[in-house]
Each structure stands twice: as structure tokens, then as C-alpha cells.
Amino acid sequence: MSNKKFTVSSFLKAKKENDKISMLTAYDYSTAKVLDDAGVDSILVGDSLGMVMLGYENTLQVTMDDMIHHCKAVSRGTKNAMVIGDMPFLSYHVSVEESVRNAGRLIQEGNVHAVKLEGGSNIIDNVRAIIKAQIPVIGHLGLTPQSVNMFGGFKVQGKNEQKAKQIIEDALLLQEAGVFAIVLECVPEKLSKIITEKLTIPTIGIGAGKYCDGQVLVVQDMLGMYKNFTPKFVKQYANLSESIEGAVKGYIDEIKKGDFPAKEHTFSINDEVLNKIQ
Ligand code: KIV
């Protein structure tokens, strides 16, 4: 467990020293605090919050205000991990100016250290402008969930020659633009190996195999809290929904039987006062 602040330089140092980077998503103060205390290198306030926290079908309805609200909470709960805020759908597509302004809001109001954008050549001018404004950027290629309607569903990307080459070219373009890391989501393991070897910045995989320089998972998935759908790449390290259900059933049961609250959970009053009020 590290107790030093993880920064952009730590990402690059980790790549050089072949030290794998750990990243998890978080969306609230308490969870961020637990992850930070456990020593995770980086916390991503992902727009996946639209699905796992707000119950939307995908990430497209998430707004800048949603992101800022959750980024603020996560930042308050984090001491050492680097906090990255996702730029939501349409917050970096309309114009360069709007992209810089929105990235700036995540830094100024959300108090995050860096922002993440989905895409490559299609958004490269905006990425360059955000970095020029001194805001660190992490890229995101492969299955970029904000493009779900273009992809026709949540599907593995880069399986044919043309798509695989496009992802490699986009990764090199993003690196040249100055991003400090790239998330590779749902691409074949051997493609992410090629990309990881070509880049001097780290790759962070999610469903991209073991050759990436780091890994990220949605915390609700790895803790067994989101039951709607579990992708093949998720490893469940706990089954919190089962534990919570058990705890809630116990609570209901004890209320019904009158076992809760017990003496140790109640407050007393002086007999003299009691006599006066009865
Ligand atoms: O929104 C998110 O949580 C993400 C991760 C899946 C990488 O982008």
C-alpha cells in the first residue's frame, strides 16, 4: 500500500519501471475513502455512474452537472490516489472552446486532477486545446460507451484489420497530442499488447487483457453490486449485494421481533426529570 500522492509523473514512471497501475471507479465520498485507504493508485469518476448509480440504460444521459456533483464527493474522500473525471457525452464534441470550458469545470468545480475523453482523431483538436490549458488528459479507445449507438451495442472492438489499425493510429495520435495514458476497453488482448509496446505512455485495460500497463474496473462490478449485467471481463472480488441483502433482512427481522434497538442503542433520562414529564 502506497501513501504517496499518485500523479501524472507516477503514471509515466510506472510505465518505465514496469510497475502495473491500479485504477477503480468511484462515485461517492465513502467509497472513494475506502479505495484510497486500500491504496489504489487512481480513481476514475466514470460516466458509468449513469448506469450503476443513476439507473440509466447507458451513459448518454449523464450531464456535466452530474459529473461535477460526483467528482466533488470523490475528491473529498481521496488523499493519495489520482482522481480523474470523465467528460460526459457532448461536453467535448461541439467546439474546442466548449471542450476546454467543460474540462476546466471538472478541474475547478469537481476538484479532479485530470479528465478522460473517449475517441481519437475525431476529437484530437479538442484534446490538444485542453492539454494546452494545462489540464492533463487520459484517452479512451476501443469500446467507447458514448458511441454505443454507432457500434450497435456494447461490442468488442478492433477485431478486423481496418478497425485494429484505426485504434493503433488513434493511440499514437493521442500520445503525440500529449495525453498521459490511454484506457483500452474491450479490445483483443493481442491488439492491446501491440499498442502497449508501441506507446511510451501507459495503457490501462478494461477487457483488454493482461499486457496493459494497468487495469481499471467499475467498482460496482468488481464488488458484485450491479446485477443488471456483468461483462465477461469482470472479476468479482466480493458479493456485496448478497451481503447487503442479508444485513437488510436481519434488520427487518429484528425490528419485527422487537430485538432492535437493544439497550446499548438507546439513551436514558434522569428519573427526576422523568417524573416531572409523566
Ligand atoms: O465510465 C467508466 O467507468 C469508464 C471505465 C469503464 C473505463 O470509462
Side-chain angles (χ1 to χ4, degrees):
M1 180 169 122
S2 121
N3 55 5
K4 252 185 76 192
K5 277 196 183 303
F6 209 79
T7 62
V8 166
S9 321
S10 320
F11 268 83
L12 302 173
K13 184 165 174 271
K15 168 95 180 187
K16 253 194 207 135
E17 297 178 355
N18 210 9
D19 201 3
K20 297 272 188 184
I21 299 162
S22 59
M23 185 187 287
L24 277 171
T25 67
Y27 316 99
D28 67 281
Y29 170 83
S30 307
T31 308
K33 202 159 174 347
V34 173
L35 304 189
D36 192 62
D37 285 348
V40 76
D41 294 324
S42 180
I43 296 180
L44 171 69
V45 188
D47 62 353
S48 49
L49 68 85
M51 297 168 81
V52 301
M53 301 302 289
L54 305 178
Y56 297 143
E57 209 176 294
N58 54 46
T59 59
L60 299 178
Q61 290 172 67
V62 176
T63 64
M64 274 300 299
D65 288 342
D66 291 332
M67 288 309 304
I68 287 168
H69 177 76
H70 288 273
C71 284
K72 276 181 172 171
V74 168
S75 302
R76 285 194 288 264
T78 308
K79 274 207 302 263
N80 296 315
M82 181 165 178
V83 181
I84 299 162
D86 245 346
M87 293 198 64
F89 179 59
L90 277 196
S91 68
Y92 56 98
H93 304 89
V94 177
S95 70
V96 168
E97 284 77 8
E98 234 182 88
S99 307
V100 177
R101 184 82 58 207
N102 284 328
R105 282 191 70 198
L106 287 182
I107 301 284
Q108 273 189 324
E109 299 174 48
N111 209 17
V112 300
H113 306 116
V115 299
K116 178 166 79 57
L117 281 72
E118 298 181 5
S121 55
N122 58 323
I123 52 149
I124 204 68
D125 291 341
N126 304 353
V127 168
R128 287 205 178 96
I130 293 169
I131 295 171
K132 211 166 156 197
Q134 303 303 300
I135 298 170
V137 172
I138 179 163
H140 187 162
L141 296 171
L143 170 52
T144 44
Q146 291 170 19
S147 308
V148 62
N149 291 325
M150 293 294 272
F151 294 148
F154 295 107
K155 295 176 181 162
V156 178
Q157 299 296 308
K159 279 178 90 84
N160 68 39
E161 183 185 342
Q162 184 247 328
K163 292 262 173 62
K165 279 186 173 160
Q166 183 63 55
I167 296 174
I168 296 172
E169 275 170 29
D170 279 341
L172 290 168
L173 191 64
L174 284 169
Q175 170 170 272
E176 185 264 326
V179 308
F180 69 92
I182 297 177
V183 168
L184 294 175
E185 179 163 355
C186 271
V187 298
E189 187 173 61
K190 289 192 175 152
L191 172 60
S192 72
K193 181 172 188 283
I194 292 169
I195 297 169
T196 300
E197 286 168 0
K198 278 184 187 288
L199 296 180
T200 54
I201 55 169
T203 56
I204 309 295
I206 173 161
K210 65 181 176 202
Y211 298 108
C212 292
D213 299 302
Q215 298 291 330
V216 57
L217 281 177
V218 168
V219 75
Q220 254 72 8
D221 287 340
M222 66 87 80
L223 295 180
M225 275 289 288
Y226 183 71
K227 285 173 146 182
N228 295 16
F229 169 69
T230 307
K232 169 184 158 86
F233 58 75
V234 168
K235 178 168 176 186
Q236 246 183 32
Y237 286 83
N239 194 340
L240 287 199
S241 47
E242 212 172 87
S243 310
I244 293 171
E245 206 179 305
V248 173
K249 280 184 176 154
Y251 172 69
I252 296 168
D253 197 43
E254 288 198 359
I255 293 173
K256 303 271 182 210
K257 291 196 296 211
D259 291 347
F260 177 81
K263 195 162 175 48
E264 66 268 28
H265 309 118
T266 54
F267 304 100
S268 59
I269 187 168
N270 186 299
D271 280 348
E272 217 176 292
V273 178
L274 192 61
N275 285 336
K276 288 186 182 150
I277 60 172
Q278 264 170 344

